[in-house]
Amino acid sequence: MTHLELAADHGHPVAQAPAADSPLAIRGLTVSYGEKPAVFSIDATIAPGSMTAIVGPNGAGKSTMLKAALGVVSPLSGTVTVFGQPLDIQRARVAYVPQRASIDWDFPARVIDVVLMGLSRELGLLGRVRDSHRKTALDCLSRVGMTDFAERQIGQLSGGQQQRVFLARALAQEADLYLLDEPFAGVDAATEKAIIDVLKSLKDQGRTVVAVHHDLSTVTEYFDHVFLINVRKVAEGPVETTFTSANLQDAYGGRLGTGQIEELALAAG
Ligand code: ADP
Ligand code: MG
């Protein structure tokens, strides 16, 4: 019996790339906060160097999938490997930008301090912030167009500015896998452009970007891979072959009009 037949035997999709090559591989992931699972039996194999959009309706389990990948919520069952190993071993290679709504912005911290948190591994628990660290943090702020705000309190910034700062913190981490939860939610057009440019430059450097994305009209323009989810996995793969009207219908059911779905799928080519 071949490896693939063996996998099929256990109910997994047959054409699954080996997890060892994937920046993020999820197998049989089920997470439940109560009686009903928030994600059920999810398999995902994120392609190295890809930009992947996680797409699905509200409450589909998109944030839960990312949190489980990060070990923030414990799964009922399933495994997550990061670059072929357990997360604990590879944690330093993973950066996370949480959904903005989930952060308490009232804590007193300057912008520069938030970005320096991205360097905590380098700084160590009691590490002193040196000029070189400060320079790195300022470089990261400049990459998101926020240099002028370095000394401001984070709570005084607009939503879009806060989002840029959190991206700068993730950049400071020099990770190989970037996980972002709705990075464009509630930001203005200029910030959206700034963020997508930074994400594309990460991809150009060979890093892998996975983002929960709620705007179906920009999936094709921004991403090369898509993962469609509605508690269960609907489909995953290159945008051209996966972001189809049939798959969107599957993920959203009646929540999108058919005209809307046709239009989006046409845009995907
Ligand atoms: P999405 O990000 O796709 O909108 P979530 O992963 O946030 O979806 O949530 C999936 C489901 O799990 C939803 O029904 C949500 O209400 C529920 N849920 C999410 N977080 C919690 C939590 N901490 N406690 C209880 N239920 C939760
Ligand atoms: Mg969410």
Side-chain angles (χ1 to χ4, degrees):
M1 190 183 277
T2 69
H3 188 70
L4 285 181
E5 280 165 343
L6 202 75
D9 233 28
H10 287 79
H12 289 297
V14 174
Q16 194 80 254
D21 299 337
S22 173
L24 174 63
I26 294 172
R27 295 290 178 270
L29 178 74
T30 297
V31 180
S32 191
Y33 300 104
E35 273 172 31
K36 247 178 57 191
V39 302
F40 184 75
S41 194
I42 295 273
D43 286 328
T45 309
I46 300 300
S50 67
M51 274 180 82
T52 300
I54 300 179
V55 170
N58 282 333
K62 305 180 296 294
S63 295
T64 299
M65 181 177 159
L66 281 197
K67 286 178 189 166
L70 289 152
V72 178
V73 299
S74 320
L76 216 52
S77 60
T79 58
V80 172
T81 53
V82 174
F83 297 103
Q85 289 180 300
L87 175 70
D88 279 343
I89 295 173
Q90 296 283 9
R91 192 176 289 275
R93 296 174 72 185
V94 186
Y96 174 47
V97 179
Q99 200 164 351
R100 198 154 52 82
S102 68
I103 306 166
D104 173 12
W105 292 107
D106 284 335
F107 70 88
R110 292 174 312 160
V111 165
I112 184 89
D113 297 325
V114 172
V115 180
L116 283 166
M117 286 175 203
L119 293 169
S120 57
R121 195 165 29 94
E122 220 173 289
L123 285 165
L125 205 54
L126 301 169
R128 265 193 34 221
V129 176
R130 297 177 192 286
D131 283 349
S132 64
H133 299 129
R134 219 177 297 276
K135 184 175 176 309
T136 302
L138 286 170
D139 280 348
C140 294
L141 278 174
S142 106
R143 284 166 70 186
V144 300
M146 287 295 290
T147 315
D148 294 346
F149 296 83
E151 302 296 325
R152 289 271 279 274
Q153 289 292 316
I154 186 87
Q156 296 171 348
L157 304 185
S158 75
Q161 291 168 335
Q162 290 171 340
Q163 195 71 339
R164 290 186 193 215
V165 172
F166 264 73
L167 182 57
R169 183 183 72 157
L171 291 175
Q173 250 179 284
E174 285 287 349
D176 295 307
L177 171 63
Y178 283 81
L179 305 177
L180 305 96
D181 200 343
E182 302 211 12
F184 308 114
V187 306
D188 61 19
T191 296
E192 177 152 341
K193 173 82 170 58
I195 293 175
I196 196 65
D197 286 350
V198 168
L199 297 184
K200 286 191 166 161
S201 76
L202 288 172
K203 179 195 153 71
D204 290 344
Q205 295 164 1
R207 302 172 205 240
T208 304
V209 176
V210 178
V212 175
H213 189 60
H214 71 291
D215 179 4
L216 296 178
S217 72
T218 48
V219 168
T220 309
E221 186 188 340
Y222 291 173
F223 296 91
D224 50 37
H225 283 64
V226 65
F227 185 97
L228 286 159
I229 177 173
N230 191 349
V231 183
R232 295 162 192 266
K233 168 166 127 181
V234 171
E236 110 179 278
V239 167
E240 313 85 70
T241 50
T242 311
F243 197 62
T244 61
S245 55
N247 284 338
L248 282 167
Q249 187 69 54
D250 222 3
Y252 284 84
R255 280 180 265 196
L256 286 181
T258 4
Q260 211 176 346
I261 286 177
E262 294 301 334
E263 204 176 300
L264 289 165
L266 272 179

